[in-house]
């Protein structure tokens, strides 16, 4: 008998769908499996104001397949100049769900990010007051910090103190990548939660660098050690409410991935649910997949879970290598492209 699993429709609490032709090409893959997604604001130029977010949301809605009930949740790209009044207006009007911190130069399209953490305190105070969630690319990019320690140093230097300074503010440490991150989130739940990507659950830096350089495994925060991977797998599959699904699916034109100065991020939306199901099965925790994918996220955001369901079946399929993008970007690589996956979403 084919193994089959029906769960409430999941949400993706960390997603990049970009803009223009790329948006049109990638959004249907997410809309096919997920009810909602937190859309990252690192466009060029970024989504910095309520007006930017209204315009971006319209472009996203226009790119959805006909009849789709998918709901985009918009975020504000925090800068040194973000206006707390605009944030509050956008939140109260139902435009913004959350604010996103990119430390300047921490990752793809983050150059407009925060350079001076003293300047964002009024925004954090306002978010604490109005009950708005604060999402963080939690890495300390001081050049003296080793890239594998960036998440742990960010927690020590910034996030830890902020949790005490703003006790009523709810945080999400995005794309957890280290045992230190996992432990900090657990110790500070329910004030702090964390999202976990498919690739941080699957890979180690040996997979990425040990058998030839795999550009499609280059993501920020970088893939770390087996010790970190084990901590992430235990956390995700524990069902604990502080850990939930965020794919960090981040498509790029293939030329930017396969370049002398390659760009971090990979498109994984088509395979994300298949990868999560594989990991949960390997950990003997398929019964916890629904909590991770569909229940814990809405709870942290104070939203109801989706009413609809999806079904997954153990039925092998081969992941396409890439998707075509009309225009100069041409194509984007897909995570696990060309490989055979055991699980697939059969009904959504
Ligand atoms: C993301 C992107 O490409 O926008 N890249 C990545 O490696 N994850 C940005 C991010 O979330 O860091
Ligand atoms: Zn991201």
């Amino acid at each position: 008998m084919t193994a089959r699993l029906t769960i409430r429709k999941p949400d993706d609490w960390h997603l990049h769908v970009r803009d223009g032709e790329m948006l049109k090409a990638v959004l249907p893959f997410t809309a096919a499996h997920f009810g909602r997604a937190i859309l990252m604001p690192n466009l060029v130029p970024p989504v910095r104001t309520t007006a930017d977010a209204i315009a971006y949301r319209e472009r996203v809605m226009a790119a959805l397949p006909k009849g789709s009930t998918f709901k985009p949740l918009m975020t504000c790209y925090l800068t040194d100049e973000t206006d707390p009044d605009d944030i509050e207006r956008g939140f109260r009007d139902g435009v913004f769900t959350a604010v996103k911190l990119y430390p300047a130069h921490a990752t793809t399209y983050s150059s407009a990010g925060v350079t001076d953490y003293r300047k964002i305190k009024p925004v954090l105070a306002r978010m604490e007051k109005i009950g708005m969630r604060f999402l963080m690319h939690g890495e300390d990019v001081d050049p003296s910090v080793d890239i594998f320690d960036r998440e742990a140093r960010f927690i020590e230097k910034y996030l830890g103190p902020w949790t005490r300074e703003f006790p009523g503010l709810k945080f999400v440490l995005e794309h957890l990548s280290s045992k230190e991150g996992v432990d900090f989130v657990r110790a500070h739940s329910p004030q702090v939660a964390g999202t976990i990507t498919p690739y941080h659950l699957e890979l180690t830096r040996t997979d990425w660098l040990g058998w030839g350089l795999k550009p499609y495994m280059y993501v920020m925060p970088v893939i770390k050690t087996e010790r970190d991977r084990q901590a992430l797998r235990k956390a995700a599959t524990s069902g604990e409410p502080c850990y939930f699904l965020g794919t960090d699916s981040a498509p790029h034109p293939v030329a930017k991935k396969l370049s002398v100065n390659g760009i971090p991020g990979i498109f994984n939306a088509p395979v994300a649910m298949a990868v999560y199901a594989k990991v949960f099965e390997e950990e003997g925790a398929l019964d916890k997949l629904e909590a991770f994918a569909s229940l814990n996220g809405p709870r942290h955001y104070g939203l109801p879970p989706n009413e609809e369901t999806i079904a997954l079946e153990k039925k092998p399929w081969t992941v396409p290598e890439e998707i075509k993008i009309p225009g100069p970007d041409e194509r984007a690589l897909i995570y696990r492209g060309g490989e055979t996956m055991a699980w697939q979403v059969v009904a959504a």
Side-chain angles (χ1 to χ4, degrees):
M1 211 185 76
T2 320
R4 188 183 169 100
L5 185 68
T6 301
I7 59 170
R8 290 234 197 191
K9 197 170 217 183
D11 301 301
D12 186 349
W13 300 98
H14 182 127
L15 176 69
H16 305 263
V17 289
R18 317 298 190 201
D19 212 342
E21 292 299 329
M22 186 70 94
L23 166 65
K24 287 183 209 154
V26 301
L27 184 63
F29 290 95
T30 291
H33 297 170
F34 296 92
R36 294 164 290 195
I38 284 273
L39 298 190
M40 290 296 135
N42 61 332
L43 305 183
V44 188
V47 179
R48 275 178 285 209
T49 63
T50 300
D52 293 343
I54 291 171
Y56 184 36
R57 187 169 63 183
E58 276 169 21
R59 299 197 295 281
V60 170
M61 295 307 289
L64 276 176
K66 267 203 177 51
S68 172
T69 56
F70 173 81
K71 185 168 179 214
L73 303 175
M74 312 309 289
T75 57
C76 173
Y77 186 114
L78 185 60
T79 71
D80 291 350
E81 277 80 47
T82 300
D83 172 9
D85 291 335
D86 181 58
I87 296 283
E88 178 164 355
R89 208 171 317 123
F91 182 64
R92 293 207 189 281
D93 289 350
V95 178
F96 282 135
T97 297
V99 170
K100 174 69 191 267
L101 163 68
Y102 290 99
H105 309 298
T107 186
T108 305
Y109 306 137
S110 63
S111 57
V114 174
T115 67
D116 182 349
Y117 290 126
R118 285 167 306 187
K119 295 194 176 153
I120 63 170
K121 296 284 178 80
V123 178
L124 302 198
R126 186 69 64 91
M127 292 168 68
E128 179 182 36
K129 191 169 151 217
I130 63 179
M132 191 175 186
R133 307 300 183 254
F134 185 42
L135 319 184
M136 295 158 300
H137 185 107
E139 293 201 285
D140 180 6
V141 289
D142 184 306
S144 69
V145 175
D146 186 90
I147 189 166
F148 287 94
D149 299 330
R150 282 178 175 177
E151 188 167 281
R153 291 297 91 76
F154 177 87
I155 291 168
E156 275 170 31
K157 278 163 69 178
Y158 305 110
L159 178 54
W162 291 342
T163 59
R164 295 187 287 276
E165 192 176 348
F166 303 100
L169 182 57
K170 285 206 159 190
F171 297 83
V172 183
L173 190 50
E174 301 284 331
H175 37 49
L176 287 174
S177 67
S178 66
K179 180 172 187 314
E180 287 82 357
V182 163
D183 291 346
F184 180 87
V185 167
R186 183 181 290 113
H188 292 79
S189 171
Q191 186 186 13
V192 183
T195 57
I196 305 181
T197 74
Y199 43 73
H200 288 103
L201 289 173
E202 277 202 296
L203 304 174
T204 67
R205 63 190 183 185
T206 308
D207 297 312
W208 167 32
L209 302 167
W211 324 105
L213 173 68
K214 303 284 192 308
Y216 81 93
M217 296 181 185
Y218 176 48
V219 293
M220 288 290 181
V222 290
I223 304 290
K224 299 191 170 63
T225 65
E226 177 62 11
R227 165 184 173 266
D228 298 300
R229 189 182 77 114
Q230 285 302 334
L232 289 157
R233 289 169 77 97
K234 291 283 167 291
T237 59
S238 68
E240 290 171 86
C242 54
Y243 305 112
F244 47 85
L245 185 156
T247 63
D248 198 11
S249 181
H252 290 293
V254 70
K256 290 199 175 165
K257 285 299 297 172
L258 308 182
S259 152
V260 173
N261 193 358
I263 196 166
I266 188 72
F267 179 46
N268 69 28
V271 284
M273 285 312 298
V275 173
Y276 285 122
K278 167 174 179 274
V279 169
F280 277 69
E281 183 180 41
E282 286 166 356
E283 296 292 322
L286 278 173
D287 61 326
K288 300 288 190 339
L289 182 62
E290 184 176 49
F292 176 76
S294 319
L295 304 176
N296 297 346
R299 183 185 308 174
H300 187 74
Y301 278 83
L303 297 169
N306 295 311
E307 288 300 332
E308 304 93 324
T309 58
I310 66 165
L312 292 128
E313 256 180 34
K314 214 168 171 187
K315 207 159 88 176
W317 63 292
T318 302
V319 183
E321 301 265 353
E322 58 188 34
I323 51 159
K324 303 269 180 258
I325 318 292
D329 289 346
E330 291 176 354
R331 58 207 173 94
L333 295 179
I334 302 178
Y335 179 66
R336 293 288 183 209
E339 296 182 27
T340 299
M341 304 296 298
W343 287 89
Q344 60 177 287
V345 177
V346 289

